[in-house]
């Protein structure tokens, strides 16, 4: 609990300081796009809100009583001892982080060739499956939905282009965005 309060205070101070700096950045001439400060302001505002929520939650738990806090700590310890990925359809590996690192390296190599639209859902699917997110159908749906959300936010709202790939994959990406 004490560590969470310290983390919350540091997060609030960090976000506040850089939020002030972000508001001093020059604005974009084109009002239809997000300027250099826009993305920073969005992320830092979210970070500030999350820090405040964490601080309020931890102070509320501390005021609620030490008995409830001890029970919360005991529950956290129990969840940490249970190894993730033991559900049905997942791979129970001790060194999953190496597989994730390898998957990201393969993703980076395939991104210019196959494009964002094809490779990103595959990466999301593999990592979610490896971490034991749930059944394969659920993982596939969430992977595709998150890819659509990323395309909507970054390409259509923020006007940030993603790699399209080559050949047929480029044509597929032109159909989608």
């Amino acid at each position: 609990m004490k560590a969470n309060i310290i983390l919350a205070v540091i997060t609030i101070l960090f976000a506040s300081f850089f939020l002030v700096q972000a508001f001093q950045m020059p604005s974009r001439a084109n009002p239809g796009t997000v300027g250099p400060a826009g993305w920073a302001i969005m992320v830092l505002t979210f970070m500030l809100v999350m820090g405040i929520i964490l601080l309020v939650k931890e102070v509320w738990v501390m005021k609620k009583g030490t008995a409830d806090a001890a029970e919360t700590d005991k529950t956290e310890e129990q969840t940490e001892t249970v190894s993730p990925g033991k559900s049905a359809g997942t791979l129970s590996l001790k060194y999953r982080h190496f597989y994730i690192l390898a998957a990201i390296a393969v993703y980076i190599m395939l991104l210019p060739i196959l494009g964002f639209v094809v490779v990103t859902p595959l990466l999301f699917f593999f990592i979610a499956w490896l971490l034991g997110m749930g059944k394969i159908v659920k993982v596939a749906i969430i992977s595709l939905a998150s890819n659509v959300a990323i395309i909507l936010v970054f390409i259509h709202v923020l006007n940030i282009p993603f790699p399209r790939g080559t050949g047929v994959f480029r044509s597929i990406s032109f159909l989608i965005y």
Side-chain angles (χ1 to χ4, degrees):
M1 272 186 9
K2 189 175 183 182
N4 282 343
I5 292 175
I6 293 170
L7 175 66
V9 169
I10 290 172
T11 302
I12 291 169
L13 292 174
F14 179 87
S16 300
F17 174 76
F18 284 106
L19 198 55
V20 169
Q21 299 299 320
F23 276 114
Q24 295 174 359
M25 293 176 74
S27 62
R28 190 94 191 232
N30 186 359
T33 60
V34 178
W39 181 249
I41 289 170
M42 285 188 284
V43 170
L44 290 167
T45 302
F46 182 72
M47 187 176 181
L48 181 64
V49 168
M50 292 295 113
I52 292 169
I53 290 172
L54 179 63
L55 183 63
V56 168
K57 179 186 148 215
E58 290 300 320
V59 169
W60 182 71
V61 167
M62 187 181 292
K63 285 184 178 181
K64 190 176 177 184
T66 56
D68 291 339
E71 185 177 316
T72 303
D73 289 341
K74 188 183 295 184
T75 306
E76 288 176 0
E77 288 175 7
Q78 288 174 352
T79 57
E80 288 176 1
T81 57
V82 175
S83 61
K86 296 276 183 173
S87 63
T90 62
L91 200 57
S92 177
L93 300 171
K94 186 175 181 182
Y95 300 106
R96 275 180 253 153
H97 55 282
F98 290 124
Y99 291 104
I100 293 172
L101 184 63
I104 292 172
V106 170
Y107 172 79
I108 290 170
M109 287 187 288
L110 291 178
L111 192 60
I113 300 165
L114 301 179
F116 180 84
V117 174
V118 175
V119 180
T120 302
L122 296 175
L123 176 72
F124 287 176
F125 179 83
F126 176 74
I127 290 176
W129 172 78
L130 186 66
L131 294 176
M133 190 169 163
K135 295 182 180 181
I136 293 198
V137 174
K138 176 184 170 187
V139 171
I141 290 170
I142 290 174
S143 297
L144 292 174
S146 60
N147 194 36
V148 168
I150 289 172
I151 288 172
L152 288 175
V153 169
F154 285 94
I155 294 174
H156 295 293
V157 175
L158 299 174
N159 295 324
I160 299 173
F162 285 150
R164 292 190 176 270
T166 58
V168 174
F169 303 110
R170 185 171 180 83
S171 300
I172 292 171
S173 70
F174 276 120
L175 289 174
I176 294 174
Y177 66 93

